[in-house]
Amino acid sequence: LPLYDLNDTRISGQVRFPGNDVQIEPAAPELRQASGLLEFSEAGFQIREARATVYGGEMRFEGGMGPATQDPAGARLRFTGQGTVTAQGLRDGDRGLVSRLFQRASGSTSYSGDLQFRGGLPELRIRSDLRGLAVDLPAPLGKAADQALALRYENTAGVIVGNAAETDRLALDIGPPDQPLLSLTYDRAVGGAAARVLRGRIGLGLDVGEAVSLPSQGVQANIRLTEVDVDAWQQVFTGTAGSTLAVRADRLRVGGRSFNRLGAGGSREGSEWRANLDAEQLNGYVAYRPSDAGQAGHVYARLSRLDLPPTAATEVEELLEQPATVPALDIQVEDFILSGRPLGRVEVQAS
């Protein structure tokens, strides 16, 4: 320790972890029962031969802190590792959409990944083929345990001002790199107590070479599937609804009802959704505002055609027996068909 030149101080040492619980940063995953060797010097530290329990499985990792660089936003802390995770560990891991995707999964799978820190944020990259996990999701994401399905997850810092990140980007791809079954990207503001989505895109079942543009604001979603079960997918994408939506499906199921050869394009302003719909059963424009704070919802529709099955009359009667659940209605149909019988033009006004 040179007293007249402290910049020339040299230190070295090592510490062995006997099985501690370690969390490097609040937003980083907790390393339980961590063991390994930490070697340190005046320039930084390195962790070697390390093992820990993360997301329900064992992880082996190494890495550490390197010397300061000229770039104040550069990453000094870097770790790489590989291991296994369990479905239960992923569900309990509080990773947002990723955790929700595995709510209906069982088993375990292997992965590789790396973790670094920039702008005060953990940057996490994960790769896995999900082999060993059985996933009970709607097609095309459901899989048996012995099937492989590539997963790529990245959470990286975006705009960094000084030493603090103001935005981050979350990206998730499931499926082949050239044709992901699901592709999701969110840009988020991270300066507040909770991350807030600024813009994003969701692609589901797109063709090779087809992609969703990242809008300047809001979330744009594009869905191309043979069959879409809206009720099942809603459980997965709770809290991730877009502001623009395009859907093309041979069959769409919602609320127990099916629509064949559906094409739809819609957008959201505030809480109100507006959409142009074209299917075998209907064609036209619909706007829907859900109920909120004691105020009834509202449905506005201008349809050139609406074809309802025989069960629709019974369903309407049951709905009217619960008036508190009925939204205000402003509906005009030019060609209304009920139980195969053409009834001509129909107008409905209810409040």
Side-chain angles (χ1 to χ4, degrees), residues 17 20 22 24 29-38 45-54 58-64 78-83 111 113-115:
F17 293 103
N20 307 80
V22 179
I24 299 173
E30 183 180 16
L31 310 178
R32 297 181 179 178
Q33 298 178 333
S35 63
L37 180 67
L38 184 148
F45 68 87
Q46 291 293 314
I47 295 178
R48 309 183 191 281
E49 306 170 5
R51 296 172 180 264
T53 300
V54 182
E58 184 183 75
M59 176 180 68
R60 301 177 300 279
F61 65 99
E62 60 184 20
R78 292 189 178 93
F79 302 90
T80 60
Q82 56 280 323
Y111 68 94
D114 60 81
L115 173 68

Side-chain angles (χ1 to χ4, degrees), residues 228-296:
V228 179
D229 188 332
V230 174
D231 299 326
W233 279 114
Q234 191 172 22
Q235 299 176 21
V236 178
F237 287 105
T238 300
T240 62
S243 52
T244 61
L245 177 67
V247 179
R248 185 176 64 212
D250 290 342
R251 187 183 186 198
L252 181 139
R253 291 176 53 83
V254 57
R257 177 164 292 140
S258 296
F259 297 92
N260 300 325
R261 287 192 275 279
L262 173 77
S267 62
R268 185 180 63 176
E269 293 187 12
S271 62
E272 183 176 77
W273 274 100
R274 303 171 182 176
N276 289 298
L277 308 172
D278 184 21
E280 285 185 353
Q281 292 84 359
L282 79 166
N283 177 272
Y285 171 82
V286 176
Y288 171 66
R289 185 185 69 242
S291 58
D292 181 44
Q295 183 178 9

